[in-house]
Every structure is written in C-alpha cells, then in structure tokens.
Amino acid sequence: MKSILILILGIAGTLPQARAYTGTGTLNLTTGATDNKLNITIGASASGFTASDTDTTTISGSLYVTVDSNPQTGATTVFTIDGGNVAMTDMNFNLRVIVISVAKISTLGMRGTAFTPLPPGIVTPTANGGTFDAAQHHLRINEGDITGEITPPGSAATTIDTNFTAAPVEGPGTGTGTLTVVPGTSSSTHRNCTVTMLLPVDFTDTQDLDGTAVTVQVQGTIKATGIIPIPLNSWVDWTIDNDLTGAGFTTSTAPGNAPLGLAWAMGYEPDTPAAVVTPVMVPGTTPTARFDLPAGGSRAPLTLEQSDSLTTASWQTVPAAEVSSGQNPVPTGTTGTVTVQWTNPAANRFLRIKANQP
C-alpha cells in the first residue's frame, strides 16, 4: 500500500464545556444600611493605664480581581484580588478608663487596598460560586492621618500626629469567604457573570505612633460586586492567554506553523511547527501512522478520518479498533503517542485529524 498522510483541520459543531475559565474585572464595594461597615477599635497604654474605643467606618471603592469560573453554572475554582482602592470615612475615638478620658484620637482620609499575597486564591466550588479561606486575602490601610493626644491622669500629655503611610495597618481575612457567581447574557466569546464577594476580616495590628504603642483592630465584612466576562470555552480562554484574542481557528502565527485550532486542540502552544502535529507513517507489513500529544494532554477531542481517494464523500471515521486508544474521537486529556494501524489497507490511504471549534 502506498500511504500518503495529510493533515487537514476541520471545523465542526459546538463541544460541550464544563470547565472553569479565567476572567478579570472590577468589583465595586456596595453601599447600604449594613454593607461595608467596619468596626475599628483603637487601644493605647500609657503610665499604667490601658483604654480603648470603637467607631464605625464606611468603606467604598473597588477591587481588581481574577476568577476562574464555569460560564454555564458559575462554579468557581480561583479567586484572586489583584489590588484595589478602598476609602474609609473619618472616625473619632475617646478612650476612657472608667469615666475618665485618657486619650482622644481622630483619623482623617484613611485609604488602603486589598490583595492576595500568594496568588492564586483557591476556591472550593459550589453550584453557583464557591467558598474560600478568607486568610488568603489581606486588607492594608496605608494612607491617611491619625492625630490626637494621650492624657493619662498625673502624667504629661503625649501628642500623636502621624500617618498610615509611615505606619500601615494590615491583616488577613478571617473565617470563610463566599463568592456568588450568576451567569447572564453572553456574546460569541464570553458570558457576563455577576460576581459578588463577601470577605470577613478580624485582625489587630500594633503600631508605634510617635513613641506610643497603639493597637488598631479591624472587624467586619467587605462586600463587592460587579460583572466579569468569562470565556465561553477553552479555545477562547487559550487565545486570550496567548494574546491572540479574535484569532481564526484555521490561521497560524507564521508560515510553517500549525493551524491555531489544531495546536490548541492537541495541547500545544501557538507557535508549534506544523511538523509536530502532522502524523508520521511507520512502514511495515501492517502500515501504521502515529502522532504525539504533549505531557499536558489534548485540550479537545480529536477525530481521525481516512480516505482512499480524497474526494469529499470518501472521508470516513477511522474505526476505533484501529486506534491505539480504542477510541475515536481521541478523548480530551490524551497524552503520548497515538497510533492508527490499518488491518485492511488500501493502495492509497489518506489520514486527517479534525478538531472542532467550540
């Protein structure tokens, strides 16, 4: 048998998708009667006296986040806070020992940020979002002034006049955070998902403010919501990751490189040479063709078809029994060498690999 192996990229119907894909966007801190109210407790010690007072600040602003979510269900596996801007309303504290005021402290223009120190943030998916260890994410107050005076009985007054830039206050979330992800309208490539985050915080940081040790305790829950576009499928996700947004399924990055759709489906990178994804003939009594898939596995099913004449109507699916995996299409996640061994060869036979565009 004279075997001619050719590589043809086919485009077919939509594949079912059940994975989480990466989206980025902005979540805005909500306003309301109880939303984003943090209780701040200031404590100080001087001349043997210890006192504290609590006031409530309303926070506003936005967070820049990355999520890995299923565009069909909202189930989420990753949530990372990439930064943000958080503003806090001013507060006044009157620290007392019994009924005697021993310190008066005010804050002005407090601002900060939230972030994930060791990204990515891991989420346990639920049917419409997920839960996460809130300690993966931090709140940092690093702007604004803190002023006042400590006046312990029988001692000289101590003035406080510093700022949070010089003495930032920082701490992790506490307990369990939650994400609610509600899929909405979609375009040809993305589904707009409404993402709502609840991040509980409860931490205490101690700072030396003008020679006085002052503790700042922060308690409450940060709530933020926004619409984040999630790629509809692995193909769109892959093109975005490789700065190829909008690229055609049958195009290539350069002459001699594999068609992008086939490189994606077979598990390769965009600049993969066409020779890497082209089947190779192995001569013998029973002719065999083989092709290799990377260690990371294929990203989509691969359909193997054969023809003895190259006419349009002559293409037929290679029998599964003649494929080394015993399956055709070759399933997603397949690694290593895949072979086709023809037990009933023809004088001329052509082989093509088809990948479906989602």
Side-chain angles (χ1 to χ4, degrees), residues 184-318:
T185 60
S186 64
S187 66
S188 60
T189 59
H190 290 75
R191 184 175 297 279
N192 293 319
C193 293
T194 300
V195 178
T196 301
M197 175 213 74
L198 294 177
L199 175 65
V201 294
D202 186 352
F203 63 88
T204 300
D205 198 359
T206 301
Q207 298 293 339
D208 185 333
L209 303 182
D210 292 331
T212 299
V214 175
T215 61
V216 181
Q217 183 180 31
V218 181
Q219 294 176 304
T221 299
I222 301 173
K223 181 179 180 179
T225 188
I227 295 177
I228 295 180
I230 304 296
L232 289 175
N233 52 62
S234 175
W235 159 250
V236 174
D237 192 53
W238 184 78
T239 58
I240 293 172
D241 285 346
N242 289 284
D243 296 324
L244 294 168
T245 301
F249 201 67
T250 59
T251 61
S252 61
T253 57
N257 284 347
L260 286 172
L262 194 60
W264 159 74
M266 293 181 70
Y268 288 106
E269 297 306 308
D271 294 331
T272 298
V276 173
V277 300
T278 301
V280 175
M281 172 57 67
V282 182
T285 304
T286 304
T288 301
R290 65 172 175 81
F291 58 91
D292 296 318
L293 297 173
S298 54
R299 297 186 179 95
L302 303 168
T303 300
L304 308 182
E305 294 184 339
Q306 63 187 37
S307 169
D308 296 340
S309 66
L310 285 182
T311 61
T312 301
S314 67
W315 289 101
Q316 296 179 344
T317 301
V318 175

Side-chain angles (χ1 to χ4, degrees), residues 101-106 147-152 157-161:
S101 177
V102 296
K104 291 184 178 181
I105 297 174
S106 298
T147 60
E149 191 174 61
I150 299 176
T151 55
T158 299
T159 299
I160 294 175
D161 185 5

